Amino acid sequence: MRNTVKGIVLTAASSLTLAVAANPALAVEATQAPAGALSDGKAVTAVTLKAENGVSATILTFGATLWKLDVPDRNGKVADVLLAYDKISDFETRPNYWGATIGRYGNRIAEGRFTLDGKTYQLPGNDNGQSLHGGGKGFDVQNWKLESVKSGKVATAVFSLVSPDGDSGYPGTLRTKVTYSLDEAGNLKIVFDATTDKPTVLNMTNHAIFNMAGEGSERDAMTNVLTIPASAYTPVTEKLIPTGELRRVEGTPFDFRKGKPVAMGLRDGTDQQIVYGRGFDHNFALDKGVTKTPELAARLEDPASGRVLEVLTTEPGIQFYSGNFLDGTYIGKQGHLYRMGDGIALEPQRFPDSPNHPNFPSTRVDPGKPYRHVMIYRVTTNPR
C-alpha cells in the first residue's frame, strides 16, 4: 500500500517510526512506495519528492538511484527527463549506473591501482583493465538503508551505507550518507557525506542520464544545447585514462563555454580525443575550481520545449559523457530502446585517476576530516 507522508516525518531506527510535523500545509510532499524486490528477496523502496510546480524526483533505495525526474515544459507539459530501466530486476542483472550514486570512486583509476602513504592498493579492473565507478561492486549495486523521509518547504530523503575496510580493495571503513532534497522552486540538491577510520580516496557523484526533451522523445539528447564553463579539459589515452595534461578547449570540439548543441563536434574524426572516446567521454576542469558552495558546472536546454537543467557543484570537474555506449540493446522506460545519443551524463566530480596524478585535485580523505560533496540539479523553463 502506498504510504503518503504529508506533514509527517519518517525516521529509521530498528524500523521506520512516525512523528507528526507541526505544519500540515506543505509545499513539497514526500511519499514512499514499494518498488519491487531483489533476487535475494530484499525489498526496494521508491521515495518521491513532489513540488507544487510540477517538478518531482523519485529515488530508489537500490543504488540510492535517482530514478525519475519529472519536469514541466514552457506550456506546463510534464516529462521525465531521465533514461533508466522500468524494472528493478534490470537494475540488478544489467547495471549501467543510470541515475545511481557512484562510489567509492566515480570515473576511472588506471589499472585499478593507486598508492597511498607508501602502500599500493589493487582494485577490480572492470573496464578493459581499468577500475570504473567503484570496480563493478560499487555503491550503485547496493541496497541502501532508508534513514528518513520528510515533507515540508524542502522535502528530504536520506540514505545510508557502510562500506567495510577492504571493500573492492579500498582501505578504511567508510560510513556514507546521501541526502536528496527538493525545494519549492524545483532545485534538487544531492549531498554526499562520508567518514573513514583510515586514510582512503573517495570521489562520489550521481550518474543520471538526461534528455531535456524527455525520455523516449523523438528529439534525442544531441539536439540539447550544452554549456560548460571550463577553459580546459583532461585529455585521455585510448583506455580513457587522463594523461595528466590540462588542455585548452579553445579551437577544439570541447569548447562549450558559449553553449552549442551536443551534436556539434561529436563526429569529428580529425580530433584524436573524439576518436578515443567514441564521442565525448571526458572530464572538464571547471574554471571555478573547488568551492564551498555549489556553483554552475553545466547548463543543458531543450530549445523546443524550453526545459532547462543547471548542474551546480562544489567539485572542480564535471564528466561529460555523450551516451556513446548506448548500443540499442538496452530496453528502458515504457519499452523504449536506448541508442547512442538518446541521453547524456553530466557527472560532477574530482578528476579521473586523481590518486595517480599529484597535479590533480586530491581525493584523499582522512579520519576526523569528513568528506562532503554538494551538487544541485536546478530545473527551470526558458519562456521564449
Side-chain angles (χ1 to χ4, degrees), residues 3 5 8-21 30 32 145-151 156-160:
N3 179 17
V5 186
I8 290 177
V9 178
L10 294 180
T11 59
S14 56
S15 61
L16 290 176
T17 58
L18 303 182
V20 179
Q32 62 173 311
K145 181 181 179 181
L146 179 58
E147 291 284 356
S148 65
V149 180
K150 181 182 178 182
S151 296
T156 60
V158 181
F159 304 83
S160 68

Side-chain angles (χ1 to χ4, degrees), residues 19-49:
V20 179
N23 184 2
L26 301 171
V28 189
E29 184 181 32
T31 61
Q32 62 173 311
L38 302 174
S39 58
D40 61 4
K42 292 181 180 177
V44 176
T45 299
V47 177
T48 298
L49 311 177

Side-chain angles (χ1 to χ4, degrees), residues 203 205 228 230 232 282-290 297 311 313-320 346-352 361 373:
N203 188 30
T205 190
I228 301 177
H282 295 77
N283 169 68
F284 287 72
L286 298 168
D287 292 343
K288 74 176 190 64
V290 178
V311 183
T313 181
T314 53
E315 297 297 84
I318 190 165
Q319 183 84 3
F320 166 35
L346 296 165
E347 306 157 61
Q349 59 177 9
R350 297 286 163 127
F351 298 175
H373 170 199

Side-chain angles (χ1 to χ4, degrees), residues 21-223:
N23 184 2
L26 301 171
V28 189
E29 184 181 32
T31 61
Q32 62 173 311
L38 302 174
S39 58
D40 61 4
K42 292 181 180 177
V44 176
T45 299
V47 177
T48 298
L49 311 177
K50 186 173 183 178
E52 291 181 349
N53 63 1
V55 176
S56 71
T58 300
I59 308 102
L60 299 173
T61 53
F62 188 73
T65 296
L66 179 59
W67 188 21
K68 301 175 183 179
L69 183 60
D70 291 334
V71 181
D73 67 6
R74 63 168 63 96
N75 297 314
K77 182 179 179 180
V78 174
D80 183 0
V81 298
L82 298 183
L83 276 63
Y85 294 120
D86 266 335
K87 299 177 182 177
I88 295 302
S89 59
D90 289 336
F91 280 97
E92 184 179 15
T93 59
R94 203 179 184 197
N96 206 30
Y97 309 115
W98 295 334
T101 294
I102 302 299
R104 292 191 184 191
Y105 200 97
N107 221 305
R108 294 174 174 87
I109 293 180
E111 299 179 350
R113 191 179 303 122
F114 67 92
T115 299
L116 187 65
D117 294 338
K119 183 176 179 179
T120 298
Y121 296 89
Q122 183 63 57
L123 319 172
N126 62 322
D127 183 61
N128 297 317
Q130 322 309 309
S131 183
L132 174 66
H133 295 331
K137 294 184 179 179
F139 294 172
D140 60 299
V141 290
Q142 309 298 321
N143 200 24
W144 292 57
K145 181 181 179 181
L146 179 58
E147 291 284 356
S148 65
V149 180
K150 181 182 178 182
S151 296
K153 290 187 176 181
V154 177
T156 60
V158 181
F159 304 83
S160 68
L161 180 72
V162 177
S163 176
D165 185 20
D167 190 10
S168 292
Y170 288 92
T173 297
L174 201 71
R175 299 184 181 278
T176 60
K177 183 174 69 174
V178 178
T179 303
Y180 286 85
S181 59
L182 181 68
D183 67 17
E184 298 168 291
N187 296 303
L188 179 65
K189 179 188 288 186
I190 309 175
V191 181
F192 307 92
D193 288 299
T195 59
T196 182
D197 61 359
K198 292 181 182 178
T200 192
V201 297
L202 186 62
N203 188 30
M204 294 179 67
T205 190
N206 183 274
H207 199 292
I209 304 285
F210 293 97
N211 179 4
M212 296 310 292
E215 179 277 333
S217 169
E218 293 180 355
R219 300 188 307 278
D220 67 20
M222 301 300 98
T223 64

